[in-house]
Amino acid sequence: MTVIISSTSLLAQEYEPNPNIPISSSIVQDNLSQISIKSKPPQPFVTQFGVCPALLWDFDLSKNTFKISFYAWWRSHDPNYQPEKSIEIINATDYYSKFGRKGKNDNEYFTYVHYYATVQKNWDTRFFPFDRQILEVKLEDFQDAHYVIFEPDILQSHLHKELVLPGWQVEGLKLEKSIALYAKKVSIF
């Protein structure tokens, strides 16, 4: 069993209203009042992202899910970056964070959070009892990729020493980074 945790940044999105809907529509006006456009820095800043999976349990083949508890952290030089407000576990059916902390160490700002999640997983049991499963947790930051870029914290990320699964051999942890490409023009219908 391998645990993969990936971190994704979004590519810039633009808002384009639907010309068939009058701008005076109260629904559109309500939606427009909730849109805030944050100015982008001249260059994106790099944030180191790391994880420490602590527990895995409740492998549910009928619901195609598993549960995981893990610590995640972000380190950057931007004092305004708030990952605890912009990170989502996009392949989870349910998740929450129990606690976290923000702070500063020299000229670096950090945030860490303890997440609990029920994650979707299509189990491949064709070779049971000799099957091999890859458990993937996908974190996505709704900050624009022109604003923040993630770099995996390979040196500090690790499996928790108490992560033991009777009957399974946990092969390791792998961090991946990616950029999600979404439509640049979005219309309100």
Side-chain angles (χ1 to χ4, degrees):
M1 175 182 303
T2 302
V3 179
I4 297 177
I5 299 186
S6 63
S7 176
T8 304
S9 296
L10 297 180
L11 203 57
Q13 297 182 16
E14 297 174 11
Y15 168 78
E16 180 179 283
N18 186 331
N20 299 323
I21 298 176
I23 196 68
S24 61
S25 165
S26 63
I27 295 172
V28 172
Q29 288 293 344
D30 289 345
N31 287 336
L32 287 174
S33 67
Q34 296 175 13
I35 295 173
S36 65
I37 300 172
K38 188 175 183 180
S39 62
K40 304 295 181 209
Q43 298 236 339
F45 69 89
V46 174
T47 296
Q48 280 206 306
F49 164 75
V51 295
C52 176
L55 293 170
L56 290 165
W57 75 99
D58 198 13
F59 301 118
D60 192 330
L61 278 63
S62 65
K63 292 181 182 175
N64 286 322
T65 60
F66 67 93
K67 293 188 179 183
I68 185 169
S69 160
F70 65 98
Y71 298 90
W73 60 87
W74 299 266
R75 297 187 333 233
S76 77
H77 296 287
D78 183 348
N80 299 314
Y81 182 53
Q82 299 179 2
E84 75 282 8
K85 294 182 179 179
S86 60
I87 296 289
E88 178 183 7
I89 304 173
I90 62 171
N91 64 333
T93 58
D94 182 41
Y95 71 93
Y96 66 95
S97 60
K98 193 169 185 177
F99 65 84
R101 183 173 172 212
K102 296 179 74 69
K104 184 178 179 188
N105 189 8
D106 293 327
N107 66 343
E108 190 173 67
Y109 297 88
F110 67 86
T111 303
Y112 77 84
V113 178
H114 188 174
Y115 286 108
Y116 295 84
T118 302
V119 180
Q120 296 172 331
K121 164 72 176 148
N122 288 321
W123 300 99
D124 183 359
T125 57
R126 291 177 292 168
F127 304 106
F128 180 81
F130 305 107
D131 54 326
R132 184 176 184 185
Q133 301 294 333
I134 295 176
L135 305 181
E136 190 169 17
V137 178
K138 296 179 180 181
L139 301 178
E140 187 169 273
D141 190 329
F142 287 97
Q143 296 284 349
D144 190 317
H146 292 105
Y147 181 70
V148 61
I149 297 175
F150 290 109
E151 284 298 328
D153 187 353
I154 303 295
L155 295 176
Q156 299 296 321
S157 296
H158 61 280
L159 294 169
H160 196 279
K161 64 182 178 183
E162 294 179 11
L163 179 63
V164 178
L165 295 171
W168 290 88
Q169 178 183 354
V170 180
E171 295 176 356
L173 170 69
K174 180 179 176 184
L175 293 181
E176 295 179 346
K177 65 178 181 175
S178 65
I179 294 180
L181 302 174
Y182 290 96
K184 289 195 139 247
K185 305 256 181 197
V186 178
S187 296
I188 295 176
F189 296 100

